[in-house]
Amino acid sequence: IAQDGISFRASYATMPQCVPARTCWYTVRMSCETGAPTNGDSCRPDIPDLGQWFSKHSDYHPVYAGKWHVNGRDVAKSFDLIYGKPQGKGEYMDGAVARACMGFLDNYNDDKPFFLNAGFMNPHDCCYTVGARGGQGKFAFAKEIADELPPLPENFVKSTRKGKFYSDWTEEQWRFYIYTYYRWVEMVDAEIASLYDAVRSSPFADNTVIIFSADHGEGVGFHGNVSKGYMEDEAWRVPLTIVDPRADQTRGVVDNQHLSTGVDVTATILDYAQLPPMPKMTIAKSLKPLVEGKEIEWREHVIGESFHGQQVAVRDEQYKTILYLNPKIKTKVFDMNADPLEMNNLMDSPELGETVMQKHKKLLLDYLDTVEVYDPPGNAKKKSHTLYLDYYKKLREEA
């Protein structure tokens, strides 16, 4: 897929956790706008999703298979659901997702164009490598393959967080966790390959655009982290590759320059399908001109929110600032060009760090003037909503 398309390597999730990121994808609104800032929240009912938008504004047939995970929104009422109620583990469901989509391609004979969404799970099965609640799981196998285990990341730091299931892991267990993560990636890669080959050998090969991305990343031992919900690159940065069979000029290109965010995926889909913008689509920008090799004016920064991790981040072409909703936690500022592994906090060099932080706080205030921060009615307001409402209110007061 990367050889056939353009890979945007400076691509970031709107929020590095499943439900918030996916809700942003399908509503083209940011995490503080959707009503679902954490996994336990539901999408507000008054904004449309992508399937509904396709049905209302086009002749496209919107089709869905696999993981949905947009709480409070029935996928079958927005899309033609060809494979639903999936298992919670990719090992069991990803093959079925691929086969359902391949069957759709093989049997589709309608004159209408289609939008087909394949929601694969893996490498999410990393959550079960040690048991969903931190049991020992398959760790006993580590000794059998000790010579195959990858090394720890260069920026690995043993966790000192008490009560975390990984705080007592040995080096061998950490390395086995990373090893199994790579295996889950290989597993889903095989299913994606089958579906991709099916598209390329179908009657739709020459006029079907393919977008590959992920809702968030995974710690995999970087900074001694597992899972998601924080703004270091291993969790916040995501893959994004777009294949347009007509765009020969960007075939195989790796784009490290253009900063993109999750809602840009939706804007790109709308652009290709020639649909009108979705309501209050203020942040999202279509990547289609970049796929076509055009020189266009582009944003100079992206903003990400993690109300699960109680963090907000700003990333420009050189620097990243991670601000914590808890004032007791020290702000982090990194030079992403000189320090891509985020090992040297520039706040330890106060003059530079402070300058970058203040610039990024100003960008965050501009962002708040652009989006519509959702303040639910009293009986619908949760602690997760209060977190960002209180933080953004405080940020404005300080300014």
Side-chain angles (χ1 to χ4, degrees), residues 4 65 105 108 114 118 136 182 219 224 243 293 302 327 337 358 362 381:
D4 289 349
L105 293 169
Y108 193 71
F114 62 82
Q136 288 301 297
Y182 293 160
V243 179
V302 289
N337 295 337
Q358 293 302 332
K362 174 62 168 61
K381 194 174 297 183

Side-chain angles (χ1 to χ4, degrees), residues 50 126 172 207 234 285 299 369:
L50 190 58
C126 64
E172 182 181 74
N207 66 344
E234 58 266 17
K285 294 172 71 73
R299 66 166 66 91
D369 289 335

Side-chain angles (χ1 to χ4, degrees), residues 28 55 77 84 96 100 163 191 228 238:
V28 80
S55 297
K77 292 182 179 179
E191 304 301 344
K228 58 219 172 188
V238 293

Side-chain angles (χ1 to χ4, degrees), residues 383-398:
K383 181 179 178 181
S384 51
H385 301 127
T386 304
L387 275 174
Y388 68 76
L389 289 168
D390 287 351
Y391 179 74
Y392 285 153
K393 178 182 178 182
K394 181 181 176 184
L395 192 70
R396 287 187 182 281
E397 288 173 350
E398 288 176 350

Side-chain angles (χ1 to χ4, degrees), residues 12-30:
Y12 288 85
T14 50
M15 195 294 202
Q17 194 184 31
C18 307
V19 169
R22 303 177 79 82
T23 304
C24 293
W25 265 348
Y26 296 106
T27 63
V28 80
R29 305 285 288 275
M30 298 298 286

Side-chain angles (χ1 to χ4, degrees), residues 196-209:
Y196 186 61
D197 286 345
V199 175
R200 293 195 300 178
S201 61
S202 76
F204 318 110
D206 294 335
N207 66 344
T208 298
V209 174

Side-chain angles (χ1 to χ4, degrees), residues 243-275:
V243 179
D244 182 341
R246 302 156 297 189
D248 291 333
Q249 62 273 36
T250 55
R251 188 180 305 276
V253 167
V254 173
D255 184 326
N256 293 303
Q257 175 185 355
H258 294 95
L259 291 159
S260 65
T261 185
V263 290
D264 295 342
V265 172
T266 326
T268 304
I269 292 168
L270 296 172
D271 193 1
Y272 270 109
Q274 298 181 359
L275 269 64

